[in-house]
PDB file of all heavy atoms in Angstrom:
ATOM      1  N   LEU A  23     -11.704 -38.057  -1.087  1.00 96.00           N
ATOM      2  CA  LEU A  23     -12.950 -37.933  -0.336  1.00 96.00           C
ATOM      3  C   LEU A  23     -13.977 -37.176  -1.164  1.00 96.00           C
ATOM      4  O   LEU A  23     -13.673 -36.115  -1.713  1.00 96.00           O
ATOM      5  CB  LEU A  23     -12.660 -37.180   0.966  1.00 96.00           C
ATOM      6  CG  LEU A  23     -13.790 -36.895   1.918  1.00 96.00           C
ATOM      7  CD1 LEU A  23     -14.368 -38.194   2.469  1.00 96.00           C
ATOM      8  CD2 LEU A  23     -13.291 -36.033   3.059  1.00 96.00           C
ATOM      9  N   TYR A  24     -15.181 -37.729  -1.263  1.00 95.00           N
ATOM     10  CA  TYR A  24     -16.254 -37.127  -2.048  1.00 95.00           C
ATOM     11  C   TYR A  24     -17.549 -37.079  -1.251  1.00 95.00           C
ATOM     12  O   TYR A  24     -17.781 -37.899  -0.359  1.00 95.00           O
ATOM     13  CB  TYR A  24     -16.511 -37.946  -3.322  1.00 95.00           C
ATOM     14  CG  TYR A  24     -15.310 -38.052  -4.227  1.00 95.00           C
ATOM     15  CD1 TYR A  24     -14.545 -39.207  -4.259  1.00 95.00           C
ATOM     16  CD2 TYR A  24     -14.951 -36.996  -5.051  1.00 95.00           C
ATOM     17  CE1 TYR A  24     -13.442 -39.309  -5.095  1.00 95.00           C
ATOM     18  CE2 TYR A  24     -13.856 -37.085  -5.882  1.00 95.00           C
ATOM     19  CZ  TYR A  24     -13.103 -38.245  -5.908  1.00 95.00           C
ATOM     20  OH  TYR A  24     -12.014 -38.334  -6.725  1.00 95.00           O
ATOM     21  N   LYS A  25     -18.380 -36.134  -1.590  1.00 93.00           N
ATOM     22  CA  LYS A  25     -19.767 -36.067  -1.134  1.00 93.00           C
ATOM     23  C   LYS A  25     -19.953 -36.112   0.378  1.00 93.00           C
ATOM     24  O   LYS A  25     -20.782 -36.845   0.893  1.00 93.00           O
ATOM     25  CB  LYS A  25     -20.578 -37.175  -1.799  1.00 93.00           C
ATOM     26  CG  LYS A  25     -20.641 -37.051  -3.303  1.00 93.00           C
ATOM     27  CD  LYS A  25     -21.437 -38.199  -3.898  1.00 93.00           C
ATOM     28  CE  LYS A  25     -21.648 -38.019  -5.363  1.00 93.00           C
ATOM     29  NZ  LYS A  25     -20.573 -38.233  -6.220  1.00 93.00           N
ATOM     30  N   LEU A  26     -19.190 -35.333   1.089  1.00 93.00           N
ATOM     31  CA  LEU A  26     -19.364 -35.252   2.540  1.00 93.00           C
ATOM     32  C   LEU A  26     -20.548 -34.341   2.831  1.00 93.00           C
ATOM     33  O   LEU A  26     -20.509 -33.141   2.571  1.00 93.00           O
ATOM     34  CB  LEU A  26     -18.096 -34.709   3.217  1.00 93.00           C
ATOM     35  CG  LEU A  26     -18.190 -34.450   4.708  1.00 93.00           C
ATOM     36  CD1 LEU A  26     -18.555 -35.718   5.461  1.00 93.00           C
ATOM     37  CD2 LEU A  26     -16.888 -33.893   5.231  1.00 93.00           C
ATOM     38  N   ILE A  27     -21.608 -34.930   3.341  1.00 91.00           N
ATOM     39  CA  ILE A  27     -22.826 -34.190   3.660  1.00 91.00           C
ATOM     40  C   ILE A  27     -23.313 -34.664   5.025  1.00 91.00           C
ATOM     41  O   ILE A  27     -23.376 -35.865   5.281  1.00 91.00           O
ATOM     42  CB  ILE A  27     -23.925 -34.446   2.607  1.00 91.00           C
ATOM     43  CG1 ILE A  27     -23.439 -34.024   1.217  1.00 91.00           C
ATOM     44  CG2 ILE A  27     -25.221 -33.718   2.978  1.00 91.00           C
ATOM     45  CD1 ILE A  27     -24.341 -34.468   0.096  1.00 91.00           C
ATOM     46  N   VAL A  28     -23.647 -33.721   5.889  1.00 90.00           N
ATOM     47  CA  VAL A  28     -24.180 -34.042   7.209  1.00 90.00           C
ATOM     48  C   VAL A  28     -25.576 -33.436   7.299  1.00 90.00           C
ATOM     49  O   VAL A  28     -25.777 -32.270   6.969  1.00 90.00           O
ATOM     50  CB  VAL A  28     -23.266 -33.492   8.325  1.00 90.00           C
ATOM     51  CG1 VAL A  28     -23.874 -33.736   9.701  1.00 90.00           C
ATOM     52  CG2 VAL A  28     -21.879 -34.120   8.238  1.00 90.00           C
ATOM     53  N   ALA A  29     -26.532 -34.225   7.754  1.00 90.00           N
ATOM     54  CA  ALA A  29     -27.901 -33.744   7.907  1.00 90.00           C
ATOM     55  C   ALA A  29     -27.950 -32.585   8.889  1.00 90.00           C
ATOM     56  O   ALA A  29     -27.262 -32.600   9.912  1.00 90.00           O
ATOM     57  CB  ALA A  29     -28.803 -34.885   8.380  1.00 90.00           C
ATOM     58  N   ARG A  30     -28.760 -31.600   8.603  1.00 90.00           N
ATOM     59  CA  ARG A  30     -28.868 -30.426   9.468  1.00 90.00           C
ATOM     60  C   ARG A  30     -29.273 -30.792  10.890  1.00 90.00           C
ATOM     61  O   ARG A  30     -28.850 -30.169  11.846  1.00 90.00           O
ATOM     62  CB  ARG A  30     -29.869 -29.409   8.897  1.00 90.00           C
ATOM     63  CG  ARG A  30     -29.434 -28.745   7.617  1.00 90.00           C
ATOM     64  CD  ARG A  30     -28.059 -28.087   7.591  1.00 90.00           C
ATOM     65  NE  ARG A  30     -27.665 -27.404   8.795  1.00 90.00           N
ATOM     66  CZ  ARG A  30     -26.414 -27.317   9.237  1.00 90.00           C
ATOM     67  NH1 ARG A  30     -25.425 -27.874   8.581  1.00 90.00           N
ATOM     68  NH2 ARG A  30     -26.133 -26.660  10.342  1.00 90.00           N
ATOM     69  N   GLN A  31     -30.116 -31.810  11.054  1.00 90.00           N
ATOM     70  CA  GLN A  31     -30.534 -32.189  12.404  1.00 90.00           C
ATOM     71  C   GLN A  31     -29.384 -32.786  13.216  1.00 90.00           C
ATOM     72  O   GLN A  31     -29.499 -32.938  14.419  1.00 90.00           O
ATOM     73  CB  GLN A  31     -31.759 -33.125  12.403  1.00 90.00           C
ATOM     74  CG  GLN A  31     -31.562 -34.421  11.683  1.00 90.00           C
ATOM     75  CD  GLN A  31     -32.055 -34.386  10.250  1.00 90.00           C
ATOM     76  OE1 GLN A  31     -31.907 -33.388   9.565  1.00 90.00           O
ATOM     77  NE2 GLN A  31     -32.630 -35.480   9.794  1.00 90.00           N
ATOM     78  N   ALA A  32     -28.273 -33.088  12.588  1.00 86.00           N
ATOM     79  CA  ALA A  32     -27.090 -33.587  13.292  1.00 86.00           C
ATOM     80  C   ALA A  32     -26.088 -32.475  13.576  1.00 86.00           C
ATOM     81  O   ALA A  32     -24.999 -32.733  14.088  1.00 86.00           O
ATOM     82  CB  ALA A  32     -26.427 -34.702  12.486  1.00 86.00           C
ATOM     83  N   ALA A  33     -26.458 -31.237  13.262  1.00 84.00           N
ATOM     84  CA  ALA A  33     -25.546 -30.103  13.470  1.00 84.00           C
ATOM     85  C   ALA A  33     -25.138 -30.003  14.934  1.00 84.00           C
ATOM     86  O   ALA A  33     -25.912 -30.317  15.834  1.00 84.00           O
ATOM     87  CB  ALA A  33     -26.219 -28.806  13.036  1.00 84.00           C
ATOM     88  N   GLY A  34     -23.909 -29.578  15.156  1.00 86.00           N
ATOM     89  CA  GLY A  34     -23.404 -29.380  16.502  1.00 86.00           C
ATOM     90  C   GLY A  34     -22.624 -30.548  17.059  1.00 86.00           C
ATOM     91  O   GLY A  34     -22.001 -30.437  18.107  1.00 86.00           O
TER      92      GLY A  34
END
Side-chain angles (χ1 to χ4, degrees):
L23 179 64
Y24 300 102
K25 298 179 173 74
L26 174 59
I27 301 169
V28 176
R30 292 308 322 147
Q31 60 264 38

